[in-house]
Amino acid sequence: MKIYAPDGSIGKPSFVLAATSPVITGRRIGVLDNGKPNARLMMVRMAEQLAARTGASVSVVTGKGSGHNAATACSDEVLDQLEKEADLVITGSAD
Amino acid sequence: MTELLDLPSDTPEALMELFDSRGWGDGLPLVPPTPERVGAALAMLGDVDPDEPIATLAPRFGEATRRTIAVNAVLAGCQPEYLPVIVSAVRALARPEVNLRGVNATTHPVAPLLIVHGEMAQRCGYNGGLGAFGPGSRANATTGRALRLILLHIAGAVLGPGDASTQGGPAKYSYCVAENEASTPWENYPASRGIDAASAVTVHCGEAPHNFHDMESDHPARILDKCAAAMASLGQNNAVIAQGEYFVALGPEHAATAASHGWTRQDVASYLFDRARLPASLVRAQFDRVAWAPWMHAMGDDHLMPVTAHPDNIRVFVCGGAGKHSSVIPSWGMTRSVTLPVEP
């Protein structure tokens, strides 16, 4: 018997992730607080330890922007800022 | 194109085994989506392109075509004539204000409630009467299930990578009712939202229904005070997300009592806006972060804060049969309901 698969194709992604740098010495680390409780505390600590171990620096710590929260994407202004001020960004923490 | 697979045997067990091996399905038995069955469903849409992507569904960004939607409708056990309703519901879910990525991926147990309005509800047998939220209607049960299968298979809302719901919830299996227009003392719900169509669908992403009852009151205020009490809960996302909507599914008898006192749908919403409140000091004491409207932050601690920022966020429709029960369907919060005409 022939049946159709139920999942279909994946559409074009609206973005492409940048290539990962093999060495982060001298690079700038950004932290994007996703708005979940304690996310900023945990991710800033991670960024500071990563910077201390690798010779990178923590260049920017930011929320998602005014009116944005854990359930929404961050603002275009914050994305622009991260693009200008950071070479890699740590984000994503659940509750 | 939609992939065709070989099923080694036409037994239910073989289909379940195949789906289990691929991480598909909702755990319940399925109907094989053969080209014949899918073709019969697509025939209900008329002269349209079955393989045109009509929506891209997050978080997988799967392309929903009429054919893949029909495949999932067949799997769920739908009759072919339900397909226009399901296609329209998928269009509604893909609207940006629904925030489907968040709806699917959150830790909250949110599920999209589908409400079917108008001629299609009548013709296809969608139940908006006695026990509408419960079992017994093939149209309600299988259409709601088809939407969930579409979210699982096309949108990728699978436990873990695509659905982080801490406890899940029964509404995630199937969540579909009809508006009881015959017992609605006001214009039908789509008309109240500016939709002039013979048939329409509404999607509202929220919790399972919270019942409230009033067996004895002959005035809407006493009935709606119980509704307001069910709305003003610190445990719901609405308590801290002021843009969140509430859907109030009024039983026909409660709706009739409201109308008999000259109350319009808007009067019901305005009354609930005024009565469903929590002390601002309590909300501030209980939450470190609140997503209030700007004006709400200006209110003092002694203010009784409404649980939503505007009466229009309280959406009233009639659903159910005989009896003195109604229900409130709180929102996930960062989502807005959508009502669209049924179109192929």
Side-chain angles (χ1 to χ4, degrees):
Chain A
M1 176 190 280
K2 293 277 187 190
I3 61 167
Y4 282 116
D7 52 354
S9 310
I10 295 177
K12 277 187 185 170
S14 56
F15 55 85
V16 178
L17 290 176
T20 303
S21 175
V23 177
I24 63 171
T25 304
R27 302 282 186 163
R28 303 165 301 166
I29 303 172
V31 173
L32 174 59
D33 175 4
N34 73 345
K36 287 288 186 181
N38 300 316
R40 183 174 294 228
L41 176 70
M42 187 181 80
M43 289 192 290
V44 167
R45 293 270 173 85
M46 287 171 58
E48 288 172 347
Q49 292 199 17
L50 187 62
R53 290 180 189 181
T54 62
S57 62
V58 179
S59 59
V60 55
V61 177
T62 178
K64 289 183 173 180
S66 177
H68 296 253
N69 61 35
T72 60
C74 77
S75 68
D76 289 343
E77 291 76 18
V78 168
L79 274 183
D80 289 343
Q81 180 192 7
L82 289 169
E83 192 176 2
K84 284 181 189 139
E85 298 179 15
D87 301 305
L88 65 133
V89 175
I90 296 175
T91 190
S93 157
D95 303 282
Chain B
M1 291 296 288
T2 311
E3 185 187 3
L4 267 174
L5 307 171
D6 279 313
L7 190 63
S9 140
D10 61 1
T11 62
E13 290 80 7
L15 184 61
M16 292 287 283
E17 206 168 294
L18 173 67
F19 269 56
D20 281 348
S21 71
R22 298 213 175 197
W24 290 337
D26 59 2
L28 295 170
L30 299 153
V31 175
T34 60
E36 295 75 22
R37 290 192 177 106
V38 171
L42 288 170
M44 294 293 159
L45 300 178
D47 186 21
V48 291
D49 180 355
D51 296 310
E52 173 195 8
I54 64 161
T56 302
L57 303 179
R60 177 173 171 260
F61 298 107
E63 284 184 344
T65 65
R66 294 179 181 89
R67 191 184 306 276
T68 53
I69 293 169
V71 169
N72 285 281
V74 169
L75 281 164
C78 290
Q79 295 274 26
E81 55 263 36
Y82 307 162
L83 192 59
V85 168
I86 302 167
V87 168
S88 303
V90 169
R91 277 199 192 90
L93 283 175
R95 291 281 288 262
E97 60 266 41
V98 170
N99 187 11
L100 187 63
R101 182 180 189 144
V103 166
N104 279 333
T106 179
T107 50
H108 185 275
V110 53
L113 166 64
L114 170 63
I115 307 169
V116 185
H117 315 272
E119 284 178 9
M120 286 294 286
Q122 293 293 317
R123 196 185 322 146
C124 297
Y126 287 95
N127 181 18
L130 195 68
F133 283 102
S137 160
R138 179 173 176 182
N140 292 26
T142 61
T143 298
R145 186 188 183 200
L147 264 197
R148 173 52 52 186
L149 291 176
I150 287 163
L151 294 180
L152 287 166
H153 297 145
I154 303 176
V158 291
L159 287 179
D163 179 353
S165 182
T166 304
Q167 294 191 316
K172 280 178 178 273
Y173 279 102
S174 179
Y175 201 13
C176 171
V177 294
E179 178 183 15
N180 188 340
E181 292 188 34
S183 299
T184 299
W186 310 295
E187 61 186 348
N188 65 23
Y189 180 82
S192 77
R193 306 311 305 168
I195 303 290
D196 178 16
S199 303
V201 293
T202 297
V203 294
H204 164 62
C205 297
E207 300 183 5
H210 296 220
N211 181 72
F212 66 90
H213 78 100
D214 183 316
M215 306 281 184
E216 35 189 278
S217 300
D218 59 3
H219 193 279
R222 266 191 16 154
I223 296 169
L224 295 176
D225 282 346
K226 280 89 173 177
C227 180
M231 292 166 66
S233 161
L234 280 173
Q236 296 162 9
N237 282 13
N238 291 75
V240 288
I241 303 177
Q243 74 145 49
E245 297 164 301
Y246 287 90
F247 269 61
V248 177
L250 278 185
E253 295 180 22
H254 286 163
T257 301
S260 71
H261 284 75
W263 287 35
T264 64
R265 174 185 269 119
Q266 291 73 26
D267 289 328
V268 171
S270 294
Y271 185 82
L272 291 172
F273 177 75
D274 193 70
R275 298 291 282 176
R277 295 191 175 221
L278 293 164
S281 57
L282 179 62
V283 180
R284 288 182 173 122
Q286 290 290 331
F287 296 97
D288 296 331
R289 301 170 194 223
V290 291
W292 278 344
W295 65 268
M296 298 170 87
H297 290 283
M299 310 312 282
D301 274 349
D302 58 346
H303 186 72
L304 279 176
M305 192 69 81
V307 289
T308 191
H310 195 280
D312 191 49
N313 289 343
I314 300 169
R315 306 293 178 86
V316 180
F317 74 107
V318 176
C319 184
K324 306 285 189 184
H325 291 268
S326 295
S327 58
V328 175
I329 300 142
S331 174
W332 171 56
M334 302 308 295
T335 178
R336 301 288 295 176
S337 65
V338 170
T339 301
L340 293 177
V342 170
E343 292 175 341

